[in-house]
């Protein structure tokens, strides 16, 4: 399968790159479109959380239309996380700084968040499905607006611009989506995700809307759900929640 030749539209100030992509999909854009912006005025993270978006960081979204059967889309975040991780890793000046993937969709260095991913999908009026992959990466700034402390590439010694980082992300995303292959390559993607994962086998707390769960992080299943090993030995698969590592997240 030949990877698509993605188009790229670079903008200045936008509400959010995800919103820009989805609006174009509703207007009939065929997809395979990257949008980047200098600044987001209405950036957001998971569950509607604010994502501070001042100039100097990378704000990017990729619009795909019908990228896979709907049942296979559950594993797409794993491929995206691998791509973002790899773009960051290739930007760091030394191998002694090791980014890790924190379930479900953050990249962290020494427990500090450096990137976030927000994937949104919508069935269009023509019956096709638009999927927008939003990737925000801290390049020059480290906004402290989330649940976890933050860092940025500049603080870690990297000397790259948002444009240079995007060029790497363009390549790594193309590679990861080709490996994912509309969901057919999930086994290889899952293995790559686990190689980069933070805290497999460690004690974790998973915060759900109505309660906290405690146990060991026992990896992820084929759909990317977190596997929690409870103190009584039972395993539970969790599709969404906020994860905290007591030994790191103090």
């Amino acid at each position: 399968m030949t990877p698509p030749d993605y188009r790229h539209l670079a903008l200045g100030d936008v509400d959010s790159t995800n919103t820009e992509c989805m609006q174009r999909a509703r207007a009939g854009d065929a997809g395979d479109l990257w949008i980047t912006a200098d600044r987001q005025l209405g950036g957001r993270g998971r569950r509607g959380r604010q994502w501070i978006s001042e100039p100097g960081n990378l704000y990017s979204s990729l619009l795909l239309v019908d990228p896979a059967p709907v049942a296979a889309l559950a594993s797409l975040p794993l491929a995206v996380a691998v791509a973002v991780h790899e773009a960051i890793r290739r930007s760091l000046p030394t191998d002694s700084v090791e980014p890790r993937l924190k379930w479900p969709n953050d990249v962290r260095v020494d427990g500090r968040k450096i990137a976030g991913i927000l994937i949104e999908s919508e069935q269009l009026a023509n019956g096709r499905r638009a999927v927008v992959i939003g990737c925000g990466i801290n390049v020059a700034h480290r906004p402290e607006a989330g649940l976890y402390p933050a860092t940025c590439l500049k603080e870690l010694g990297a000397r790259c611009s948002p444009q240079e980082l995007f060029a790497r992300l363009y390549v790594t995303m193309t590679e990861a989506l080709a490996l994912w292959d509309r969901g057919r390559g999930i086994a290889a993607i899952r293995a790559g995700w686990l190689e980069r994962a933070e805290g497999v086998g460690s004690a974790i707390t998973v915060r759900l809307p109505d309660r906290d769960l405690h146990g060991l992080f026992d990896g992820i299943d084929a759909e990317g759900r977190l596997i929690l090993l409870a103190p009584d030995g039972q395993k539970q698969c969790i599709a969404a929640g906020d994860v905290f590592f007591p030994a790191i997240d103090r």
Side-chain angles (χ1 to χ4, degrees):
M1 176 177 146
T2 303
D5 185 14
Y6 298 117
R7 295 168 291 141
H8 175 214
L9 179 61
L11 302 176
D13 288 358
V14 300
D15 180 37
S16 81
T17 55
N18 269 31
T19 298
E20 290 286 330
C21 279
M22 195 61 80
Q23 288 175 344
R24 283 169 168 76
R26 293 168 186 153
D29 194 290
D32 295 341
L33 171 67
W34 275 105
I35 290 181
T36 57
D38 294 336
R39 183 173 64 163
Q40 296 184 126
L41 304 179
R44 61 190 187 279
R46 288 191 312 122
R47 302 186 185 182
R49 294 180 182 128
Q50 184 182 22
W51 182 270
I52 304 298
S53 307
E54 290 303 313
N57 291 342
L58 176 61
Y59 313 112
S60 62
S61 296
L62 174 61
L63 169 64
L64 303 174
V65 177
D66 290 337
V70 173
L73 291 177
S75 62
L76 176 59
L78 301 183
V80 174
V82 168
V84 173
H85 174 281
E86 190 62 16
I88 292 170
R89 188 192 67 79
R90 295 180 189 182
S91 301
L92 292 169
T94 173
D95 290 339
S96 64
V97 179
E98 186 177 12
R100 307 299 292 179
L101 294 176
K102 189 189 79 66
W103 188 90
N105 54 9
D106 288 339
V107 185
R108 304 207 300 182
V109 178
D110 293 331
R112 296 175 293 164
K113 182 172 178 175
I114 194 170
I117 297 164
L118 177 64
I119 300 178
E120 300 177 299
S121 69
E122 179 179 307
Q123 185 168 338
L124 303 172
N126 61 8
R128 304 189 72 186
R129 178 161 294 276
V131 177
V132 178
I133 299 168
C135 307
I137 304 176
N138 295 342
V139 180
H141 311 293
R142 51 178 183 90
E144 300 284 359
L147 297 175
Y148 313 98
T151 189
C152 63
L153 284 170
K154 180 179 179 181
E155 193 172 62
L156 297 171
R159 295 293 179 263
C160 68
S161 66
Q163 293 76 20
E164 290 168 329
L165 177 59
F166 173 70
R168 294 188 181 99
L169 179 61
Y170 183 106
V171 171
T172 60
M173 189 69 73
T174 301
E175 293 171 346
L177 292 179
L179 183 61
W180 180 64
D181 190 19
R182 293 177 57 84
R184 291 183 288 260
I186 182 55
I189 287 293
R190 178 179 178 272
W193 193 97
L194 286 170
E195 287 175 0
R196 297 165 171 84
E198 176 180 6
V200 176
S202 300
I204 59 172
T205 296
V206 182
R207 183 165 298 164
L208 304 179
D210 59 342
R211 67 191 188 282
D212 287 353
L213 301 177
H214 306 278
L216 298 180
F217 179 23
D218 200 37
I220 56 173
D221 68 7
E223 296 182 358
R225 294 177 298 181
L226 180 144
I227 303 173
L228 180 72
L229 180 62
D232 63 3
Q234 297 294 312
K235 292 186 178 183
Q236 181 176 351
C237 293
I238 299 170
D242 292 310
V243 172
F244 298 87
F245 295 88
I248 300 173
D249 302 324
R250 298 182 185 279

